[in-house]
Short mmCIF file of all heavy atoms in Angstrom, two decimals:
data_model
loop_
_atom_site.label_atom_id
_atom_site.label_comp_id
_atom_site.label_asym_id
_atom_site.label_seq_id
_atom_site.Cartn_x
_atom_site.Cartn_y
_atom_site.Cartn_z
N MET A 1 0.84 -1.20 0.00
CA MET A 1 0.00 0.00 0.00
C MET A 1 0.87 1.24 0.00
O MET A 1 1.86 1.31 0.74
CB MET A 1 -0.91 0.01 1.24
CG MET A 1 -1.96 1.13 1.21
SD MET A 1 -3.10 1.02 2.62
CE MET A 1 -4.02 -0.44 2.15
N VAL A 4 1.56 7.92 2.47
CA VAL A 4 0.96 9.24 2.28
C VAL A 4 2.04 10.22 1.81
O VAL A 4 3.12 10.30 2.40
CB VAL A 4 0.31 9.75 3.58
CG1 VAL A 4 -0.29 11.13 3.36
CG2 VAL A 4 -0.76 8.78 4.05
N ALA A 16 -10.87 17.14 -6.78
CA ALA A 16 -10.82 16.26 -5.61
C ALA A 16 -11.05 17.04 -4.33
O ALA A 16 -11.74 16.58 -3.41
CB ALA A 16 -9.47 15.54 -5.55
N PHE A 30 -27.25 19.18 1.05
CA PHE A 30 -28.26 20.22 0.91
C PHE A 30 -28.55 20.62 -0.53
O PHE A 30 -29.65 21.07 -0.85
CB PHE A 30 -27.84 21.48 1.69
CG PHE A 30 -27.74 21.27 3.16
CD1 PHE A 30 -26.53 21.42 3.82
CD2 PHE A 30 -28.84 20.88 3.91
CE1 PHE A 30 -26.43 21.22 5.19
CE2 PHE A 30 -28.76 20.67 5.27
CZ PHE A 30 -27.55 20.84 5.92
N LEU A 50 -7.65 32.32 -2.78
CA LEU A 50 -7.37 33.74 -2.97
C LEU A 50 -6.90 34.43 -1.69
O LEU A 50 -6.23 35.47 -1.74
CB LEU A 50 -8.61 34.46 -3.51
CG LEU A 50 -9.03 34.08 -4.93
CD1 LEU A 50 -10.36 34.73 -5.30
CD2 LEU A 50 -7.96 34.47 -5.95
N ASP A 71 -2.71 31.29 5.82
CA ASP A 71 -2.20 32.59 5.42
C ASP A 71 -1.35 33.19 6.54
O ASP A 71 -1.67 33.04 7.73
CB ASP A 71 -3.35 33.54 5.11
CG ASP A 71 -2.86 34.94 4.77
OD1 ASP A 71 -2.06 35.06 3.82
OD2 ASP A 71 -3.26 35.90 5.46
N ARG A 78 1.60 34.97 -2.71
CA ARG A 78 0.23 34.48 -2.60
C ARG A 78 0.03 33.25 -3.49
O ARG A 78 0.74 33.04 -4.47
CB ARG A 78 -0.77 35.56 -3.03
CG ARG A 78 -0.48 36.95 -2.50
CD ARG A 78 -0.34 36.97 -0.99
NE ARG A 78 -1.57 36.55 -0.32
CZ ARG A 78 -1.67 36.31 0.98
NH1 ARG A 78 -0.60 36.40 1.74
NH2 ARG A 78 -2.81 35.95 1.52
N HIS A 83 -5.91 32.36 -13.12
CA HIS A 83 -6.99 31.40 -13.34
C HIS A 83 -7.87 31.24 -12.11
O HIS A 83 -9.05 30.93 -12.22
CB HIS A 83 -6.43 30.03 -13.78
CG HIS A 83 -5.63 29.30 -12.75
ND1 HIS A 83 -6.22 28.56 -11.75
CD2 HIS A 83 -4.30 29.20 -12.57
CE1 HIS A 83 -5.28 28.02 -11.00
NE2 HIS A 83 -4.10 28.39 -11.46
N PHE A 105 -30.67 29.56 -1.17
CA PHE A 105 -29.56 28.89 -0.49
C PHE A 105 -28.39 29.85 -0.33
O PHE A 105 -27.76 29.90 0.73
CB PHE A 105 -29.11 27.66 -1.28
CG PHE A 105 -27.87 27.02 -0.70
CD1 PHE A 105 -27.96 26.07 0.30
CD2 PHE A 105 -26.60 27.39 -1.16
CE1 PHE A 105 -26.82 25.51 0.85
CE2 PHE A 105 -25.46 26.83 -0.61
CZ PHE A 105 -25.56 25.88 0.39
N GLY A 110 -24.89 33.23 2.88
CA GLY A 110 -24.37 34.55 3.20
C GLY A 110 -24.45 34.86 4.69
O GLY A 110 -23.63 35.63 5.22
N GLY A 122 -13.10 43.60 15.26
CA GLY A 122 -12.37 44.18 16.39
C GLY A 122 -11.20 43.35 16.87
O GLY A 122 -10.43 43.79 17.73
N GLU A 124 -9.12 41.68 14.52
CA GLU A 124 -8.26 41.42 13.37
C GLU A 124 -6.78 41.58 13.68
O GLU A 124 -5.94 40.80 13.20
CB GLU A 124 -8.63 42.36 12.20
CG GLU A 124 -10.02 42.16 11.65
CD GLU A 124 -11.08 42.99 12.35
OE1 GLU A 124 -10.80 43.54 13.44
OE2 GLU A 124 -12.19 43.11 11.81
N CYS A 130 -3.89 32.82 9.68
CA CYS A 130 -5.14 32.10 9.84
C CYS A 130 -5.10 30.78 9.06
O CYS A 130 -4.23 30.57 8.20
CB CYS A 130 -6.33 32.93 9.37
SG CYS A 130 -6.41 33.16 7.59
N GLU A 139 -12.47 8.53 5.68
CA GLU A 139 -11.84 7.21 5.66
C GLU A 139 -10.35 7.25 5.96
O GLU A 139 -9.73 6.21 6.18
CB GLU A 139 -12.08 6.52 4.32
CG GLU A 139 -11.34 7.12 3.14
CD GLU A 139 -12.11 8.21 2.41
OE1 GLU A 139 -13.04 8.77 3.02
OE2 GLU A 139 -11.79 8.48 1.24
N GLY A 144 -2.86 9.86 10.92
CA GLY A 144 -1.95 10.95 11.30
C GLY A 144 -1.88 12.06 10.27
O GLY A 144 -1.00 12.93 10.35
N LEU A 167 -9.13 30.55 13.12
CA LEU A 167 -9.90 29.80 12.12
C LEU A 167 -11.37 29.83 12.51
O LEU A 167 -11.72 30.07 13.67
CB LEU A 167 -9.41 28.36 12.02
CG LEU A 167 -9.57 27.44 13.24
CD1 LEU A 167 -10.94 26.75 13.24
CD2 LEU A 167 -8.47 26.40 13.28
N ASP A 170 -17.74 25.16 12.55
CA ASP A 170 -19.12 25.12 13.06
C ASP A 170 -19.44 23.73 13.56
O ASP A 170 -18.62 22.81 13.45
CB ASP A 170 -20.10 25.57 11.97
CG ASP A 170 -20.05 24.71 10.74
OD1 ASP A 170 -20.33 23.50 10.85
OD2 ASP A 170 -19.73 25.22 9.64
N CYS A 173 -19.03 20.33 11.71
CA CYS A 173 -17.68 19.80 11.52
C CYS A 173 -17.17 19.20 12.84
O CYS A 173 -17.79 19.35 13.89
CB CYS A 173 -16.74 20.90 11.05
SG CYS A 173 -17.28 21.72 9.53
N LYS A 197 -35.36 25.98 9.01
CA LYS A 197 -35.65 26.16 10.44
C LYS A 197 -34.58 25.53 11.32
O LYS A 197 -34.78 25.32 12.52
CB LYS A 197 -37.03 25.58 10.80
CG LYS A 197 -38.18 26.11 9.97
CD LYS A 197 -38.30 27.62 10.05
CE LYS A 197 -39.44 28.13 9.19
NZ LYS A 197 -39.51 29.62 9.16
#
Side-chain angles (χ1 to χ4, degrees):
M1 188 175 290
V4 179
F30 297 118
L50 292 173
D71 177 57
R78 316 306 298 171
H83 67 81
F105 173 87
E124 296 89 346
C130 71
E139 70 270 20
L167 64 87
D170 60 62
C173 304
K197 305 303 179 185

